[in-house]
């Protein structure tokens, strides 16, 4: 059967520096592929890093300059950043999954977005986080049902959800119904409970799960970051901006690699699609272990655009 080596890249971003984060992403992709990985997953909002002020300051308490910087450094999709990432995927012949902070070409609302690139460099899909969590709602807008891609690869079907979206049972159910075999879960969640969640998703979906966190020490916040002392306090916030928590889990819920914390590292594991198929002989949540005569899910996959044009014929004179 089909096997593949995957990589969960736990690394530090360069806060609010799009170019530095892009360069680092490409370097890490090459490093993982050199070690044999064919599917490489990087953390949530790795370009240009997490809006950490949402949790270290009172809501909207002097964050204007930071938000303006985020808008300036956010990623337009498609655009130069996606062109560069696609080129790197093509150069390495790998599938790349990476989190970015996205905005529209002429907008200032930010979306927590996961991008999927194919080994030919094509941007295969993007997923905007459906519901930002807690204080994240002061920074990010909501995605819609049009960005829930499930992608065919030679190694199985690839998809996933972002951070606490993985707690949304109906979102999970929809993806299970699309036959997901490899589940990417970029996240910022640091707890032991999160590892339990990743194991639950693997068991519930009978799929492989790749959970990927950034790992950033406070000393890695750039020295010239605007109002750095106000942004982060060792006494109030501790030493770790993001402590890591990456893990790779098989369809039986067994941890194959990790969890890794407090270090930049790349976790690797060999995935075998036959193990997914075998695991579903006893439990398939949307197949033989489902009761569609009792339970049904309706999903609106339409894009929710702010403007809908209605063209009318000119009036008759």
């Amino acid at each position: 059967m089909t096997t593949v080596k995957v990589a969960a890249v736990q690394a530090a971003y360069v806060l609010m520096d799009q170019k530095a984060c892009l360069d680092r992403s490409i370097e890490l992709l090459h490093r993982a592929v050199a070690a044999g990985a064919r599917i490489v997953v990087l953390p949530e909002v790795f370009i240009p890093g997490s809006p950490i002020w949402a949790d270290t300051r009172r809501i909207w308490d002097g964050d204007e300059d930071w938000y303006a910087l985020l808008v300036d450094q956010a990623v337009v999709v498609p655009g130069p950043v996606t062109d560069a990432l696609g080129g790197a995927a093509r150069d390495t012949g790998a599938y790349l999954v990476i989190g970015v902070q996205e905005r529209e070409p002429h907008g200032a609302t930010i979306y927590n977005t996961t991008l999927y690139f194919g080994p030919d460099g094509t941007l295969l899909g993007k997923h905007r986080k459906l519901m930002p969590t807690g204080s994240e709602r002061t920074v990010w807008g909501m995605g819609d049902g049009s960005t829930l891609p499930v992608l065919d690869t030679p190694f199985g079907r690839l998809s996933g959800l972002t951070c606490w979206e993985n707690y949304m049972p109906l979102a999970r159910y929809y993806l299970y119904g699309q036959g997901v075999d490899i589940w990417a879960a970029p996240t910022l969640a640091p707890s032991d409970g999160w590892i339990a969640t990743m194991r639950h998703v693997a068991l519930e979906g009978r799929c492989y799960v790749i959970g990927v966190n950034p790992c950033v020490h406070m000393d890695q916040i750039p020295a010239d970051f605007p109002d750095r002392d106000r942004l982060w306090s060792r006494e109030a916030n501790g030493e770790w901006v993001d402590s890591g928590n990456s893990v790779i889990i098989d369809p039986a819920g067994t941890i194959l690699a990790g969890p890794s914390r407090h270090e930049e590292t790349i976790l690797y594991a060999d995935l075998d699609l036959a193990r997914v198929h075998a695991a579903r002989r006893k439990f398939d949540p949307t197949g033989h272990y489902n009761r569609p005569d009792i339970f049904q899910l309706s999903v609106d996959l339409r894009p929710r655009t702010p403007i809908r044009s209605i063209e009318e014929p000119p009036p008759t004179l």
Side-chain angles (χ1 to χ4, degrees):
M1 295 293 288
T2 303
T3 61
V4 62
K5 177 175 281 191
V6 302
V9 180
Q10 179 168 289
Y13 47 76
V14 182
L15 185 61
M16 297 301 121
D17 188 328
Q18 183 193 98
K19 183 180 186 307
C21 291
L22 174 61
D23 291 345
R24 184 149 175 71
S25 301
I26 292 172
E27 186 271 327
L28 290 164
L29 171 63
H30 278 270
R31 188 189 307 177
V33 172
R38 296 292 306 280
I39 299 175
V40 180
V41 186
L42 273 75
E44 181 179 2
V45 294
F46 196 69
I47 304 175
S50 176
I52 60 178
W53 59 84
D55 290 320
T56 64
R57 301 293 303 174
R58 291 192 297 268
I59 291 175
W60 294 320
D61 178 19
D63 67 342
E64 296 91 340
D65 291 342
W66 294 328
Y67 190 86
L69 179 61
L70 169 56
V71 173
D72 180 66
Q73 295 297 304
V75 176
V76 174
V77 181
V81 172
T82 58
D83 289 346
L85 291 171
R90 182 177 61 250
D91 292 344
T92 58
Y95 288 88
L96 170 64
V97 183
I98 183 171
V100 303
Q101 299 210 53
E102 180 200 4
R103 67 172 177 85
E104 295 288 348
H106 306 293
T109 292
I110 307 298
Y111 300 94
N112 180 337
T113 298
T114 301
L115 303 176
Y116 294 82
F117 295 89
D120 62 353
T122 302
L123 176 59
L124 298 175
K126 74 174 183 180
H127 167 59
R128 286 178 172 175
K129 190 175 182 181
L130 298 173
M131 177 57 70
T133 305
S135 59
E136 294 174 356
R137 295 174 201 175
T138 67
V139 182
W140 294 327
M142 293 185 291
D144 60 39
S146 70
T147 65
L148 289 167
V150 182
L151 308 171
D152 283 310
T153 82
F155 317 110
R157 285 169 66 77
L158 172 65
S159 189
L161 295 171
T162 305
C163 205
W164 276 27
E165 280 186 317
N166 287 272
Y167 291 129
M168 299 172 71
L170 299 186
R172 295 199 309 269
Y173 186 86
Y174 170 72
L175 294 185
Y176 296 153
Q178 308 307 303
V180 177
D181 303 305
I182 302 172
W183 185 287
T187 184
L188 304 172
S191 67
D192 290 337
W194 181 252
I195 301 303
T197 295
M198 295 291 89
R199 295 184 73 182
H200 174 80
V201 171
L203 281 164
E204 184 178 60
R206 290 303 196 259
C207 57
Y208 287 99
V209 173
I210 308 169
V212 188
N213 296 56
C215 187
V216 183
H217 191 272
M218 62 170 293
D219 292 341
Q220 292 174 296
I221 300 174
D224 60 351
F225 194 85
D227 291 320
R228 187 183 190 278
D229 292 341
R230 193 167 60 87
L231 175 71
W232 191 269
S233 164
R234 185 189 303 270
E235 291 73 23
N237 308 119
E239 293 193 354
W240 290 95
V241 178
D242 294 293
S243 58
N245 207 23
S246 299
V247 67
I248 304 175
I249 301 170
D250 76 5
T254 302
I255 294 176
L256 302 178
S260 178
R261 298 176 179 131
H262 302 137
E263 65 172 341
E264 295 188 71
T265 187
I266 302 178
L267 304 180
Y268 298 96
D270 294 315
L271 312 190
D272 183 352
L273 186 59
R275 295 194 63 188
V276 174
H277 296 165
R280 289 176 180 161
R281 78 195 190 283
K282 291 184 178 180
F283 184 83
D284 185 343
T286 58
H288 62 78
Y289 213 94
N290 183 32
R291 287 294 304 274
D293 55 324
I294 302 174
F295 305 109
Q296 294 184 355
L297 173 66
S298 297
V299 183
D300 188 342
L301 301 178
R302 293 172 296 178
R304 296 298 182 179
T305 56
I307 298 173
R308 183 169 66 94
S309 299
I310 300 176
E311 296 184 5
E312 300 179 355
T316 303
L317 298 178

